[in-house]
Amino acid sequence: MSFRREKYVPFGGPDGGDGGEGGSVVFRADENLMTLQEYGRRLRYAGRNGEPGRGKKQTGKTGGDLVLTVPVGTIVTWTGEKGAGTVDLESHGASVVVAKGGGGGRGNVRFTSSTNRAPRLAEGGEPGEEVDVQLDLKLLADVGLVGLPNAGKSSLLASGSGANPRVASYAFTTTEPNLGVVDIGWSSFVLADIPGLIEGAHEGKGLGDQFLRHVERTAVLIHMIDGSLPDVLDAWRSINNELALHEAQLEEKPQIVAINKIDMSEAQEQLPELQRAFTAEGVDEVFAVSAATGEGVTELMRAAYTRVEAEREARKSAPTPVIEEPQVILRPEPDRIMPIVEVEEEGVWRLKHPRIERLADGIDLTDMAVAAQFWRELGHIGAIDALERAGAEPGDWVLVGETEVIWR
């Protein structure tokens, strides 16, 4: 609330500017990020407040948006009082606003009228939206490594790409997906090591379905199998079953079988029989490799690249997909919000209206002139009629936000 003060201008009139709008919260995809680990350390984020309005009808500065960067391929899901939605940030720079900042409060110049030339009312700022957000990451990799725990996937990633994943001789060594770039001389592709799956993974067993979703966006799968196992085919069928139960389309995804640990005598002895068995199962490509020694790894990576290149060419020739609008559930507010009157106790009433609540919290109602203007505003929005219909009588208390006033 402000009035013009200038020499030789005794009645300058109101000149209080509006408050600045609050900043929104935005999620933006960044191809330089790989994980969502940063968001495990902090649970609450907020845009910056707008600055207060000033005299001379100056509007306050808008609060800056809070831009939160996430890896490409992150699915952002949010729910709040005003709506909910889900957006897949599939490309670099894609963004979505999940919580909009509140509007700035109106300065006293906005309350000027033919009957109120010196308004002493000023409105508080509107609160911004509050939402709960869930982030789910689906890695954007060309090739995915799948298989039972301790099949040698991390060793293959290290051997084929030069990445440095954690490698040990016990199950579930890998607890989060690892990425590596495989350079085959004239080109390259991204290889993802998906943590070990077990029977029942689609239901959350073991490391569960939290990592199965990373398989969905790969062009081809390398199915790693420990060649020293007594029943290799059973291990292969078990993982394929989990992929199909997670999503039916994964069963049709191109797959290369890699029989690992051929440097061990157990694997070497049953290798010819295994190759015949997989051929009988309709598997076209079966490679015998040793992730520990590097034997057969180069040939496996070149075969994977051939599949990746075919997928890339198919994408180029495919028609440009129509970008769908974000899946958003809106709960729009009515054009005019009517006041709500509730009984707190005998002789005490609660008046609910967002605009009036912000107005009451920002003025001094002990000033008779201010109180008179405030009651005039109540009449404009229909609050006085609502209180009378509810049965309010002179002398009753009316609670508006954090403010208490006496009904007159």
Side-chain angles (χ1 to χ4, degrees):
M1 186 184 70
S2 174
F3 290 90
R4 180 183 174 194
R5 292 291 182 260
E6 190 175 339
K7 192 175 182 180
Y8 307 124
V9 184
F11 301 103
D15 69 349
D18 297 340
E21 294 183 353
S24 300
V25 178
V26 182
F27 281 95
R28 180 176 297 160
D30 187 339
E31 60 187 6
N32 298 312
L33 298 178
M34 292 299 173
T35 71
L36 295 169
Q37 290 181 340
E38 180 66 26
Y39 298 98
R41 304 187 183 102
R42 183 176 167 190
L43 297 180
R44 183 177 176 84
Y45 295 84
R48 291 185 287 275
N49 292 330
E51 294 184 359
R54 301 182 180 88
K56 299 182 181 179
K57 302 180 182 179
Q58 295 181 20
T59 300
K61 184 179 180 180
T62 299
D65 291 344
L66 177 64
V67 180
L68 303 173
T69 54
V70 294
V72 174
T74 299
I75 298 175
V76 183
T77 304
W78 70 95
T79 56
E81 291 184 358
K82 293 187 178 181
T86 300
V87 173
D88 193 345
L89 303 180
E90 293 184 302
S91 59
H92 176 69
S95 62
V96 60
V97 178
V98 298
K100 293 183 179 179
R106 297 177 298 167
N108 67 332
V109 71
R110 296 286 188 177
F111 294 90
T112 306
S113 67
S114 59
T115 58
N116 187 9
R117 306 302 296 273
R120 302 181 65 183
L121 303 177
E123 197 174 62
E126 179 185 14
E129 295 180 354
E130 291 191 10
V131 297
D132 292 323
V133 179
Q134 177 177 321
L135 301 177
D136 294 295
L137 174 61
K138 292 183 180 180
L139 294 179
L140 296 179
D142 298 304
V143 180
L145 282 172
V146 298
L148 289 172
N150 208 30
K153 298 184 297 300
S154 296
S155 297
L156 181 66
L157 178 66
S159 176
S161 69
N164 295 304
R166 185 181 180 185
V167 178
S169 59
Y170 55 85
F172 296 110
T173 306
T174 305
T175 56
E176 63 181 24
N178 293 308
L179 293 177
V181 178
V182 179
D183 189 350
I184 60 170
W186 62 92
S187 188
S188 62
F189 62 88
V190 178
L191 179 65
D193 169 21
I194 310 301
L197 306 175
I198 63 174
E199 187 175 353
H202 71 284
E203 298 175 342
K205 294 183 180 179
L207 292 176
D209 57 356
Q210 58 180 315
F211 298 127
L212 273 169
R213 64 177 180 272
H214 297 303
V215 181
E216 297 174 15
R217 296 186 178 183
T218 56
V220 60
L221 299 178
I222 294 179
H223 194 148
M224 289 285 291
I225 303 175
D226 184 350
S228 64
L229 293 175
D231 195 340
V232 173
L233 279 177
D234 184 63
W236 174 74
R237 294 190 185 102
S238 175
I239 295 300
N240 283 341
N241 184 55
E242 293 303 317
L243 295 176
L245 290 173
H246 175 71
E247 185 176 328
Q249 294 179 351
L250 292 182
E251 194 174 14
E252 303 174 2
K253 190 176 289 290
Q255 189 177 115
I256 300 173
V257 173
I259 302 175
N260 190 27
K261 303 183 181 181
I262 60 167
D263 53 313
M264 299 176 63
S265 58
E266 298 91 333
Q268 291 178 353
E269 292 173 359
Q270 59 179 346
L271 183 59
E273 182 181 347
L274 288 175
Q275 290 177 327
R276 289 192 296 270
F278 277 112
T279 301
E281 291 283 343
V283 179
D284 299 328
E285 293 183 287
V286 180
F287 288 81
V289 302
S290 172
T293 65
E295 181 181 353
V297 172
T298 300
E299 292 76 9
L300 173 62
M301 294 304 164
R302 287 179 177 174
Y305 174 75
T306 301
R307 294 289 190 99
V308 170
E309 186 64 17
E311 179 68 19
R312 290 174 179 173
E313 292 298 325
R315 290 177 182 174
K316 290 180 182 179
S317 60
T320 304
V322 179
I323 300 177
E324 298 181 358
E325 292 295 324
Q327 301 175 17
V328 180
I329 303 171
L330 298 177
R331 299 181 179 91
E333 297 180 353
D335 294 336
R336 184 183 180 189
I337 301 176
M338 301 303 295
I340 299 174
V341 177
E342 297 177 350
V343 179
E344 290 281 319
E345 56 184 87
E346 186 177 354
V348 181
W349 308 85
R350 168 70 67 178
L351 175 61
K352 294 183 177 181
H353 190 280
R355 176 180 155 191
I356 292 300
E357 289 173 9
R358 298 201 308 272
L359 186 62
D361 291 341
I363 59 178
D364 180 13
L365 289 174
T366 61
D367 187 316
M368 297 300 294
V370 174
Q373 294 178 9
F374 177 70
W375 286 108
R376 188 180 297 116
E377 287 296 318
L378 290 183
H380 289 165
I381 68 165
I384 292 179
D385 291 339
L387 284 164
E388 290 177 345
R389 287 195 300 269
E393 298 179 354
D396 288 352
W397 285 96
V398 179
L399 309 181
V400 185
E402 301 297 325
T403 305
E404 300 177 353
V405 295
I406 298 178
W407 175 255
R408 298 174 183 176

